[in-house]
Amino acid sequence: MDLNALAFWTFSTLAVLSAIYVVFGKNIVYTVLALVSTLIMVSGLFFTLGAELVGALQILIYAVAIVVFYVLVISTVPEYKGKTVDGKYMLLSIPFGFILFLELAYVALYGAWQSATGIFDERVINEIGNSKAIGTLLFTKYLFPFEVASLILLVAMIGAIIIGRKKEDVHQEA
Amino acid sequence: MSIPYEYYIVLSGLLMVLGLIGIIVRKNIITVLISTELMLNSVNIAFVAFDMKLHDVAGQIFVFFILTIAAAEAAVGLGLIVAIYRLKKDVDVEKLTELKL
């Protein structure tokens, strides 16, 4: 077993175990910590795949920036006292989810994968590197979606400020 | 590359199903959003694995956009949760029945 396979099995096992705690864990702070663990393991999987830029961004954006939102809101909202999971949905969703997973796994392992070729072939990517290929494509072909993404972030920021604002502030302005 | 790319797709499917179960069974609305993040991550794994198999980089660009949308979704969704908490003093999904007859 070489190092890459060892890394894959380690990262994937830890990611799945953390994800199970995210789904079924009782304490919400530990749930967020398990989410951070899952995100870091997924980032490690990106590194084993050879996508180093995406793996670094996964840690920077997901495991740092987005999780901070959740921690802030959890500290704002008082502790949730009710049941963690709903029993009657659990009975239905776990067998259904298991069947769905078997189906997805069957399609992934035995499906007829058509190997199409991308814009860059293997030789070009090996020559200029993965990150440079992504940057080139992002700022040429996908430039307009890139600008739209920045607009979406602006809209989301303004929307979050307006939605999350206290009612008293609105009355003071009016 | 010793691990076949198909294994990454199977892992992606497993994380996706776990996130779906989390959305269905969880009662706290914050953890429902956290399960959504799990599902978004599973899609990222599938994108990168297909990319590496097909020697393309377009999927990794879509991972960028998914990261952007996930940040926007977390900001707006958590703002909504704070607003719901101010209104109802509760974050239980069963209690949010304002539209129910």
Side-chain angles (χ1 to χ4, degrees):
Chain A
M1 184 182 273
D2 67 332
L3 204 59
N4 208 343
L6 189 68
F8 171 79
W9 289 113
T10 313
F11 285 141
S12 58
T13 311
L14 287 175
V16 170
L17 288 178
S18 314
I20 288 172
Y21 192 85
V22 169
V23 173
F24 297 111
K26 187 159 180 58
N27 190 331
I28 190 165
V29 179
Y30 290 161
T31 299
V32 173
L33 286 179
L35 179 72
V36 174
S37 163
T38 311
L39 294 173
I40 291 173
M41 293 312 151
V42 170
S43 161
L45 284 171
F46 288 160
F47 279 107
T48 64
L49 275 168
E52 67 280 348
L53 184 61
V54 175
L57 277 175
Q58 170 92 6
I59 291 184
L60 278 181
I61 297 177
Y62 248 120
V64 177
I66 294 181
V67 167
V68 169
F69 284 145
Y70 285 99
V71 174
L72 276 177
V73 171
I74 286 167
S75 57
T76 307
V77 174
E79 191 191 352
Y80 175 68
K81 296 275 183 354
K83 275 197 303 184
T84 311
V85 291
D86 201 337
K88 64 174 186 286
Y89 292 128
M90 193 114 125
L91 217 61
L92 191 68
S93 69
I94 286 180
F96 176 73
F98 186 66
I99 292 169
L100 197 64
F101 166 65
L102 287 183
E103 195 178 337
L104 283 172
Y106 179 79
V107 171
L109 287 177
Y110 301 108
W113 285 35
Q114 190 68 252
S115 54
T117 50
I119 291 178
F120 303 107
D121 60 3
E122 194 179 0
R123 189 178 45 79
V124 175
I125 290 181
N126 282 336
E127 194 179 323
I128 67 174
N130 194 31
S131 308
K132 197 169 178 182
I134 294 172
T136 309
L137 201 59
L138 184 64
F139 289 112
T140 52
K141 190 182 173 190
Y142 292 96
L143 184 60
F144 182 67
F146 183 75
E147 299 289 342
V148 172
S150 66
L151 192 66
I152 286 174
L153 279 179
L154 178 67
V155 170
M157 187 183 76
I158 296 171
I161 290 171
I162 289 176
I163 290 170
R165 192 165 56 170
K166 278 185 180 165
K167 277 284 186 294
E168 295 90 80
D169 300 347
V170 179
H171 291 305
Q172 279 170 5
E173 279 176 17
Chain B
M1 193 67 198
S2 53
I3 295 288
Y5 295 108
E6 284 82 355
Y7 287 12
Y8 286 92
I9 310 296
V10 173
L11 176 70
S12 155
L14 183 56
L15 286 182
M16 174 64 97
V17 168
L18 277 172
L20 184 64
I21 291 175
I23 287 176
I24 294 171
V25 303
R26 277 291 197 166
K27 285 176 79 77
N28 188 344
I29 198 166
I30 299 173
T31 48
V32 172
L33 264 187
I34 291 176
S35 303
T36 318
E37 300 290 337
L38 217 55
M39 292 177 84
L40 284 169
N41 258 283
S42 77
V43 176
N44 283 355
I45 298 176
F47 261 129
V48 176
F50 276 116
D51 241 13
M52 290 300 157
K53 185 180 170 68
L54 303 179
H55 303 297
D56 198 0
V57 291
Q60 294 170 55
I61 287 168
F62 279 93
V63 171
F64 280 2
F65 294 137
I66 289 175
L67 286 176
T68 314
I69 298 301
E73 170 254 332
V76 176
L78 292 169
L80 279 173
I81 288 174
V82 171
I84 287 171
Y85 179 73
R86 288 221 182 89
L87 199 66
K88 306 273 291 186
K89 298 288 171 211
D90 204 353
V91 286
D92 191 342
V93 284
E94 299 278 325
K95 302 270 173 58
L96 306 175
T97 53
E98 308 240 288
L99 292 177
K100 205 174 181 179
L101 286 175

